[in-house]
C-alpha cells in the first residue's frame, strides 16, 4: 500500500505541536506517547533479540574454549603417562638385566 507522505508528515507535525504545547491529556499527545511507547518497545525487543543471539554465541564460544582446555589437559596427562610408562619399562629392563647378570655370575661361581 502506498501512503501519502505529506499526510504522514502533517500528522507528525500536529503531534509535535501537541507535544510541545505540553497538554498531556490531549488525544494527539496520547497518540504521540503511544507511538513513542511502541517505538521504544520495538527497540527493546530488538535489543533483547540481539543480546540473546550474542549470549548464545558466547555460550558456544565458552564451550569451545572449555573443550580445547580439556583436550590440552588430556594431552598433558598422556605425555606424563607415556613418560611414566617409559620410566617403568626402563626400570623393569634394568632389573631384569641385573637379575640375569646375577644368575650368570652365580652359575659361573658354582
Amino acid at each position: 500500500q502506498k501512503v501519502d507522505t505529506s499526510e504522514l508528515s502533517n500528522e507528525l507535525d500536529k503531534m509535535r505541536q501537541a507535544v510541545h504545547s505540553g497538554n498531556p491529556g490531549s488525544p494527539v499527545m496520547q497518540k504521540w506517547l503511544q507511538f513513542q511507547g511502541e517505538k521504544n518497545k520495538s527497540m527493546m525487543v530488538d535489543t533483547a533479540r540481539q543480546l540473546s543471539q550474542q549470549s548464545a554465541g558466547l555460550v558456544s564460544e565458552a564451550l569451545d574454549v572449555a573443550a580445547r582446555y580439556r583436550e590440552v589437559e588430556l594431552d598433558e596427562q598422556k605425555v606424563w603417562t607415556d613418560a611414566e610408562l617409559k620410566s617403568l619399562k626402563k626400570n623393569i629392563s634394568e632389573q631384569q638385566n641385573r637379575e640375569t647378570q646375577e644368575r650368570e655370575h652365580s652359575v659361573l661361581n658354582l
Side-chain angles (χ1 to χ4, degrees), residues 15-30:
M15 286 182 181
R16 282 189 191 103
Q17 288 172 2
V19 168
H20 291 298
S21 73
N23 181 2
S26 73
V28 173
M29 179 69 141
Q30 293 298 318

Side-chain angles (χ1 to χ4, degrees), residues 14-78:
K14 286 180 191 176
M15 286 182 181
R16 282 189 191 103
Q17 288 172 2
V19 168
H20 291 298
S21 73
N23 181 2
S26 73
V28 173
M29 179 69 141
Q30 293 298 318
K31 192 172 182 180
W32 175 260
L33 291 173
Q34 181 182 0
F35 168 75
Q36 289 298 324
E38 288 172 7
K39 189 170 105 178
N40 290 341
K41 180 181 175 184
S42 175
M43 287 172 38
M44 287 189 288
V45 167
D46 286 345
T47 301
R49 181 184 47 77
Q50 290 172 359
L51 290 174
S52 177
Q53 289 173 347
Q54 289 173 354
S55 66
L58 291 173
V59 167
S60 176
E61 189 175 331
L63 290 173
D64 288 345
V65 168
R68 284 192 299 265
Y69 179 79
R70 185 64 181 141
E71 286 175 16
V72 168
E73 275 186 330
L74 291 173
D75 285 346
E76 289 174 353
Q77 288 177 355
K78 183 181 181 310

